Amino acid sequence: MAKKLTSPVYVVEDNIDTDQIIPAQYLTLVPTIPEEYEKLGSYAMVGLPDDLYPIEFIKKGATKTGYKIIIAGKNFGCGSSREHAPISLGAAGVEAIVAESYARIFFRNSVATGELYPYEARERLIERVKTGDIAIIDFDNDTIEINGQVHQLKPMGDVRPVIEAGGLFNYARQSGMIPGP
Amino acid sequence: MTLTEKILAKASGRNRVAAGDNVWVNADILLTHDVCGPGSIGVFKREFGQNAKVWDPMKIVIIPDHYIFTADRLSNRNVDVLREFAKEQGLSYFYDVIDDPEGHWAFNVARGQLRRQHGSRYQGVCHAALPQRGHTRPGEVLFGTDSHTCMAGAFGEFATGIGNTDAGFILGTGKLLIKVPETMRFYLEAELPKGVMAKDVILNVIGDIGFDGATYRAMQWEGPGASALDMDDRMTIANMAIEAGGKNGIFPADKKTFAYVDERTRANGTKSAYEPAELDRDQIFAFDKVYDLSKLEPTVAMHPNPGNRALAKTLEYVRLDRAYIGSCTGGKTSDFVAFAEVVNGKRVQIETYGVPATSEVVSDLKQARLGETSVWDVLIDAGVMMTENASCAACLGGPQDTFGRLNAPLTCISATNRNFPGRMGSKESKVYLASPYTVAASALTGHVTDPREFLS
Ligand code: SF4
């Protein structure tokens, strides 16, 4: 299946921690309750300092973001292990992140939930693109095209089968670890 | 094999594993709390069915601790969700906020934050309570829905933080697929000099390797300096493996470990058998470095991340609005005793909040004495606002009415473990991380202060 994703990108710096992705006061929301899942999405990225990020990730009054792709620097998702972080991004409508590197638990949670594709870039994309630029991710060829330039992404390796299966549970069912539904 | 590899080999039923292998491991304990428990339970029910039973009711430990003493309605509800689940599944180790198994938890604002509002089973911060209640054992595998689960590595076990989906999976199966991490070794020589604490060790190491310097890796602590540390100090260090991005931190188990674990499992009637992993000679490390503890000085991690290191003595110009002592890493009995040594007979100059990690710490502090006075009263007399309600409190900000939360753009020195923007409340606030000694000395002066001048 040829899969491509086209969207404007939202660009963030190095070391975006989970308190910035979803501040702690919203962790009272339980992601498996549908209304609370939607709410979590509406707060995605509100912890970013306003002076560094003058463009809002989610427009005032909206519950979803217009940016389905986030381009990030190093160590994205560091800090707390809250699964609320990838979930809030997924609930806000983000489908893929392209970062230079990830904090371990954020990466793991993205894979296990199947909420989003955590791609690693081979170069420092955040210096070449700005928020609002249009990108096309080609999942079959592991590339991202921005401003007419195609950049190769790192293949997801070991975890690809888990993501392709749609998360940990589906993967475990397919591989016979747990019985089917 | 390294300690982490040995434990993971055993837990996956293999003779050997190597860094990079993906293996299904059996969990010995699954830990969860009020922030991630309800979501993990939600995943478990969605995937295994509304009437599904957990894999082993004796291996699940639920410790509400994060958002407890708040009027926030959803926070109070989340504690009730845990109670319902514990009842329905017949879980032995649910440390409820209230004593009535049919009741509902509601924080009483009128009674205030300082006086005890919880029942007799309630513990406080999960990572500090887990060993106290006899749930940490050498050689075991512990998964917890909280990044500081790595603190239990102090007891010679593999302990790591996971998300709700992983936890939901373990609730149903007792297993998890994980990648064996590479190991970094930190070999500690000599002993800590006066005025320098375990917190200074880990802040130094994170300053050296960077706060993503151990990403996907195990941090193994060895050497005579590690053996000389007591269990509280080992916990402080293992706790902050995650601040370097680490998957886990681990100390070899020794006589001190066995003494602690044996006493606690006996006192609490928890499982007392365990098989420690012993150090091999053929360990392969991705990084190996010797630290001479006697050379360390009081250290601070400056805003905005735990790797932003400076010596306390070079930061005297930083004026502070607030001091905070508490959390899993900095709210243990030994942390408060160290703090009290510095402030004994003096008055703090800035507002200073003290939040014991567990209710056992509260009672320890009321019993332990400095001279004629209890440690608790030394702290109160020095002007520290001490709460009897052990919890995470302002360590992670939390709802607006959380005790000690930075609700304005304040500058705070804190004995906690994270200082990312907004971690303790307002995203305009600035947090400096330091040892209990350094936080205490700074509370006395109102600016960042090297504590050695108060400890002669
Ligand atoms: S005390 Fe702080 S670091 Fe420890 S578990 Fe609670 S919120 Fe996390």
Side-chain angles (χ1 to χ4, degrees):
Chain A
M1 179 191 69
K3 197 179 164 212
K4 287 194 181 182
L5 169 66
T6 305
S7 166
V9 300
Y10 194 84
V11 181
V12 294
E13 290 294 313
D14 293 334
N15 304 320
I16 299 300
D17 79 292
T18 52
D19 286 294
Q20 296 179 67
I21 298 171
I22 182 79
Q25 68 259 41
Y26 305 119
L27 302 184
T28 57
L29 298 164
V30 175
T32 46
I33 301 175
E35 312 83 81
E36 297 185 18
Y37 174 85
E38 294 296 322
K39 266 238 151 101
L40 270 172
S42 70
Y43 296 124
M45 293 291 213
V46 299
L48 291 175
D50 306 328
D51 48 342
L52 297 179
Y53 298 94
I55 303 176
E56 294 164 307
F57 181 66
I58 296 178
K59 288 217 179 66
K60 279 229 161 42
T63 56
K64 302 271 177 200
T65 180
Y67 307 98
K68 292 187 179 153
I69 301 173
I70 293 176
I71 308 285
K74 291 188 205 131
N75 204 22
F76 187 82
C78 56
S80 127
S81 66
R82 61 189 73 150
E83 194 167 287
H84 305 70
I87 289 181
S88 74
L89 293 173
V94 176
E95 294 181 28
I97 301 180
V98 178
E100 253 175 285
S101 64
Y102 292 91
R104 181 190 70 82
I105 303 180
F106 181 89
F107 183 84
R108 180 172 181 102
N109 287 342
S110 303
V111 173
T113 55
E115 283 283 348
L116 32 90
Y117 277 83
Y119 262 121
E120 276 183 4
R122 291 186 185 273
E123 54 212 302
R124 197 158 167 78
L125 289 177
I126 61 171
E127 275 159 15
R128 300 170 164 228
V129 300
K130 56 182 192 317
T131 292
D133 289 354
I134 305 290
I136 305 165
I137 295 181
D138 178 337
F139 293 93
D140 293 334
N141 294 306
D142 297 322
T143 59
I144 184 167
E145 183 185 332
I146 314 175
N147 302 333
Q149 267 202 318
V150 177
H151 306 269
Q152 203 64 43
L153 301 171
K154 291 189 192 162
M156 274 182 264
D158 297 344
V159 302
R160 178 118 198 181
V162 183
I163 299 181
E164 305 266 86
L168 177 68
F169 280 94
N170 291 346
Y171 175 74
R173 288 201 176 94
Q174 283 175 12
S175 56
M177 261 312 292
I178 55 174
Chain B
M1 288 186 287
T2 67
L3 290 176
T4 298
E5 289 159 1
K6 286 181 95 165
I7 295 171
L8 294 179
K10 187 166 135 243
S12 60
R14 299 171 183 227
N15 291 327
R16 282 198 81 78
V17 296
D21 290 354
N22 287 297
V23 289
W24 287 98
V25 299
N26 291 311
D28 291 294
I29 297 284
L30 173 69
L31 166 71
T32 190
H33 53 50
D34 55 298
V35 165
C36 294
S40 303
I41 293 166
V43 171
F44 168 71
K45 299 213 159 194
R46 180 184 75 207
E47 300 290 340
F48 294 101
Q50 289 305 315
N51 302 319
K53 285 285 172 199
V54 297
W55 104 99
D56 188 339
M58 299 296 282
K59 291 187 174 172
I60 295 160
V61 180
I62 304 187
I63 308 183
D65 60 353
H66 274 61
Y67 301 162
I68 309 302
F69 305 102
T70 165
D72 180 81
R73 191 182 52 80
L74 290 179
S75 301
N76 294 174
R77 172 206 65 183
N78 287 346
V79 179
D80 293 343
V81 170
L82 300 177
R83 182 177 314 105
E84 274 311 304
F85 186 70
K87 217 187 311 171
E88 154 201 316
Q89 299 285 336
L91 304 184
S92 305
Y93 304 119
F94 169 49
Y95 297 96
D96 201 352
V97 183
I98 54 174
D99 286 340
D100 177 4
E102 307 301 324
H104 294 282
W105 164 239
F107 175 68
N108 184 339
V109 179
R111 287 181 56 205
Q113 288 284 1
L114 300 183
R115 299 304 301 274
R116 172 173 158 164
Q117 282 212 31
H118 57 76
S120 59
R121 296 256 310 148
Y122 178 74
Q123 296 298 315
V125 181
C126 58
H127 313 299
L130 199 72
Q132 287 178 341
R133 305 315 295 182
H135 299 295
T136 54
R137 280 168 292 264
E140 290 199 344
V141 171
L142 165 72
F143 291 112
T145 60
D146 189 284
S147 57
H148 290 104
T149 302
C150 54
M151 180 151 129
F155 298 90
E157 62 181 314
F158 175 79
T160 194
I162 55 170
N164 297 356
T165 300
D166 287 335
F169 190 87
I170 296 174
L171 280 170
T173 64
K175 291 183 198 307
L176 194 61
L177 178 62
I178 63 166
K179 183 184 252 181
V180 179
E182 293 179 316
T183 295
M184 301 169 84
R185 177 166 70 172
F186 301 85
Y187 194 89
L188 308 183
E189 301 269 20
E191 292 193 21
L192 290 170
K194 183 82 186 150
V196 180
M197 301 184 72
K199 186 60 154 286
D200 298 302
V201 177
I202 186 67
L203 290 178
N204 260 292
V205 167
I206 300 170
D208 278 348
I209 64 175
F211 77 113
D212 57 356
T215 300
Y216 294 101
R217 289 173 164 178
M219 297 173 81
Q220 181 168 315
W221 304 87
E222 280 182 47
S227 320
L229 296 172
D230 63 25
M231 296 316 296
D232 273 13
D233 288 340
R234 296 180 197 182
M235 284 192 257
T236 303
I237 291 174
N239 177 285
M240 290 186 68
I242 183 69
E243 269 63 55
K247 185 163 194 152
N248 66 311
I250 191 162
F251 282 78
D254 60 12
K255 277 191 292 209
K256 286 182 192 170
T257 323
F258 304 144
Y260 184 104
V261 169
D262 293 346
E263 185 203 324
R264 293 297 175 151
T265 50
R266 198 178 317 120
N268 292 287
T270 49
K271 177 171 162 253
S272 58
Y274 53 84
E275 280 175 51
E278 271 157 34
L279 285 173
D280 274 356
R281 251 180 257 153
D282 70 334
Q283 306 189 84
I284 297 170
F285 300 116
F287 168 104
D288 198 1
K289 185 164 174 181
V290 177
Y291 279 83
D292 179 348
L293 298 185
S294 68
K295 299 246 161 66
L296 297 183
E297 295 189 72
T299 303
V300 172
M302 301 177 289
H303 169 83
N305 75 61
N308 198 10
R309 172 185 58 180
L311 292 180
K313 65 184 182 194
T314 65
L315 295 176
E316 303 250 327
Y317 65 90
V318 177
R319 307 226 50 99
L320 300 164
D321 303 304
R322 183 174 289 187
Y324 184 96
I325 171 164
S327 82
C328 42
T329 195
K332 300 179 266 39
T333 299
S334 55
D335 297 314
F336 279 95
V337 170
F339 192 99
E341 269 176 55
V342 174
V343 299
N344 192 5
K346 306 192 175 67
R347 288 288 294 183
V348 297
Q349 296 302 312
I350 48 178
E351 46 180 21
T352 302
Y353 289 81
V355 186
T358 63
S359 34
E360 182 174 309
V361 173
V362 175
S363 54
D364 283 352
L365 297 178
K366 292 192 172 178
Q367 271 158 34
R369 294 194 171 264
L370 273 183
E372 296 290 285
T373 321
S374 74
V375 173
W376 185 272
D377 287 335
V378 166
L379 296 165
I380 299 278
D381 294 345
V384 181
M385 283 176 273
M386 292 293 296
T387 176
E388 293 172 347
N389 293 314
S391 84
C392 296
C395 172
L396 84 164
Q400 281 285 333
D401 60 348
T402 300
F403 185 67
R405 186 179 193 274
L406 303 180
N407 283 332
L410 304 175
T411 303
C412 176
I413 189 157
S414 177
T416 55
N417 46 25
R418 282 203 179 120
N419 60 345
F420 297 116
R423 168 70 178 180
M424 294 183 71
S426 157
K427 60 184 177 181
E428 266 76 52
S429 58
K430 293 193 169 65
V431 175
Y432 290 74
L433 303 175
S435 76
Y437 275 155
T438 303
V439 174
S442 305
L444 292 177
T445 61
H447 56 81
V448 176
T449 300
D450 187 319
R452 289 173 296 189
E453 50 192 273
F454 290 92
L455 286 166
S456 46

